Amino acid sequence: MSLEAGKIAKIAKPGQFLHIKIDDMPFLRRPFSLHRMYNSNIDIFYHVVGKGTQALSQKESGAKLDILGPLGNGFEIKEIKNQVLIGGGIGIAPLFALAEALVNTSTQICVIIGAKTKERLLCEEDFAKLGCKVQVATEDGTGGKKGMATDILKDILLSLPPTETILYSSGPNKMLAEVSRVANVASVSCQISLEETICCGVGACLGCVVKTATGYKRVCSEGPVFKSDEILLGS
Amino acid sequence: MNLSVQLAPKNKQGLLLTNPVMTASGTFGYGTEYSRLFDIQKLGAIVCKGTTLNHKDGNPQPRIVETASGLLNSIGLQNIGVNALIKEKAPLWASWQVPVIVNIAGETIDEYARIANELDGVAGIRAIEVNISCPNIKAGGAEFGANPKSAAEVTAAVKTATSLPVLVKLTINTSDIAEIAMAVAEAGADAISLINTLRGMAIDIIMRRPLLGNIIGGLSGPAIKPVALHMVYKVAGAVDVPVIGCGGITTASDAIEFIMAGASAVQVGTAIFTNPRAPLDILEGIEQFMKKEGIEDIAELVGAARY
């Protein structure tokens, strides 16, 4: 879905999110990562999974939306030689905006996309068009390599010098936990974008916290992008 | 047009608000979170996040569940603790025009008194709201608000520990709220705010387990408004200290209903999550209503619908 939001597009950075009031019902705003940014437009990318996304998908072209944003901290872009982006499922959405920002730097961008089945593989061609080296994995083997995206990641990291490599990831928590573990073993700097139910979106309500080595942190305002070694996923 | 309200007429320092629209504790952080979204200085008052003696981590996730016209939360009073609040937040508040009220919660009566004592005389802090109604903590909180004797004891202890105006925030998770309100007023409360969230829960039927990490949480939002309004009506008829209405207020007409039920001021909470500007929209709506109805002073509306 493409949104015309000039003021936001001007200052938004990959990894940040928009908090959108879709209708009077459901009650809370819904967070969406920035998928693509061009001119005064921002694209968001989502699957219809509940009442909020269902209502959003019914909006007609030209409809007005109440958008709060850009919110949160985005990816910290570093001009390191090897940029590895790994996304699972719809988690690939914010990585595309990141790749768009990275293509202007003199770095090599390698993208790993994972999904359950071939039908669920997203953005493969879009990344390729940008000039990224793309590899895919599906759990059932219907597309790309059979297995997990993190299996490909392990292979790739073997051939890259850790100090000249940076990793960015977005996807289900289970995948992020494995990415963090692999990054840690390989001593590669890694940033992960977390997904949570976001309530206020500005750090006031403390509803969207995640456990870190130094206590709870707010996904909406201290994240959603964190350094992987500070987050305690699945604990 | 006069929108100002005095919430602590019996207190030496008083608590004069330029208008009756406040933010509810726990929904507005420390005020700073929203200052880039709108002019928070226009608000009647800001009530900050519930503050304990030492910092508190809060409850496990998930902490938020959306329900029909409402919100269940089990944050569990995650906060930085009173000393950090005095050091890191109060200096900024001292430069603000809008009065900041610190909501406090303790596990023992002594803890409440100690927190109140720490806050006494700190520049930037204009009043204390005593939280004897949080449903999300194991010890203290709503326990004290559940019976008149302990509610009065906490109130008296806090009053002794500070010269600041003291608001006491009540729970309705109790048998007779009017009785509690009278006991609290008798013990010296300058004003009474109500209601806090109602205990509730939700279950994930696929996983067959409660959705909140803490199992139970507090329900807020439009779903609880009629209940809150009734409780305000009841309490306003039982005490002669100012009453501050809170619970599901989303629009100006909601706020006016509470004022007509007997509230001198209102707190807006959960509505802010959907519309951060809700408190200001409500204030503007109250002004428009008064203009249309030819009302010069907001005091004319307080209790206007009482029979």
Side-chain angles (χ1 to χ4, degrees), chain A residues 28-30 206 209 216, chain B residues 57 61 63 66 78 273-274:
Chain A
L28 288 180
R29 286 171 181 267
R30 295 288 189 264
L206 308 173
V209 295
Y216 285 118
Chain B
D57 285 337
Q61 305 150 273
R63 293 175 168 186
E66 200 174 40
Q78 179 182 342
F273 299 149
T274 321

Side-chain angles (χ1 to χ4, degrees), chain B residues 8-31:
Chain B
K10 292 175 188 165
N11 184 275
K12 225 183 195 176
Q13 301 173 31
L15 183 59
L16 187 66
L17 273 48
T18 56
N19 69 72
V21 183
M22 311 162 67
T23 61
S25 178
T27 63
F28 211 65
Y30 298 100

Side-chain angles (χ1 to χ4, degrees), chain B residues 24-180:
Chain B
S25 178
T27 63
F28 211 65
Y30 298 100
T32 47
E33 293 86 345
Y34 284 96
S35 55
R36 72 178 177 127
L37 296 183
F38 69 93
D39 186 3
I40 61 169
Q41 304 301 331
K42 287 183 179 164
L43 296 169
I46 288 168
V47 185
C48 82
K49 176 71 191 169
T51 299
T52 50
L53 191 58
N54 300 309
H55 98 276
K56 217 170 160 64
D57 285 337
N59 286 329
Q61 305 150 273
R63 293 175 168 186
I64 297 275
V65 177
E66 200 174 40
T67 62
S69 291
L71 185 67
L72 275 170
N73 88 79
S74 62
I75 309 297
L77 284 179
Q78 179 182 342
N79 79 98
I80 57 177
V82 70
N83 288 324
L85 176 129
I86 291 169
K87 217 167 113 190
E88 295 164 23
K89 309 293 178 189
L92 183 64
W93 294 339
S95 68
W96 288 5
Q97 188 189 325
V98 57
V100 177
I101 299 165
V102 176
N103 181 288
I104 67 169
E107 289 184 11
T108 63
I109 291 176
D110 179 55
E111 261 188 35
Y112 278 100
R114 282 169 67 190
I115 304 165
N117 191 249
E118 295 284 343
L119 295 171
D120 192 48
V122 175
I125 295 168
R126 295 281 302 279
I128 289 171
E129 181 178 70
V130 183
N131 180 354
I132 50 168
S133 43
C134 180
N136 285 326
I137 50 174
K138 282 194 184 75
E143 249 172 52
F144 292 107
N147 84 70
K149 188 169 170 279
S150 57
E153 279 171 9
V154 173
T155 307
V158 170
K159 280 296 287 182
T160 309
T162 181
S163 57
L164 285 166
V166 173
L167 286 50
V168 179
K169 187 169 182 179
L170 304 186
T171 175
I172 66 160
N173 296 316
T174 171
S175 50
D176 184 359
I177 199 167
E179 203 188 346
I180 310 264

Side-chain angles (χ1 to χ4, degrees), chain A residues 36-55:
Chain A
R36 290 186 79 154
M37 290 181 281
Y38 49 98
N39 307 324
S40 61
N41 283 62
I42 296 175
D43 286 4
I44 56 171
F45 193 18
Y46 61 92
H47 281 151
V48 173
V49 288
K51 285 180 204 157
T53 43
Q54 175 67 37

Side-chain angles (χ1 to χ4, degrees), chain A residues 149-165:
Chain A
T150 45
D151 298 337
I152 299 177
L153 176 68
K154 283 179 214 161
D155 291 344
I156 287 181
L157 290 184
L158 284 177
S159 62
L160 297 174
T163 53
E164 289 172 42
T165 305

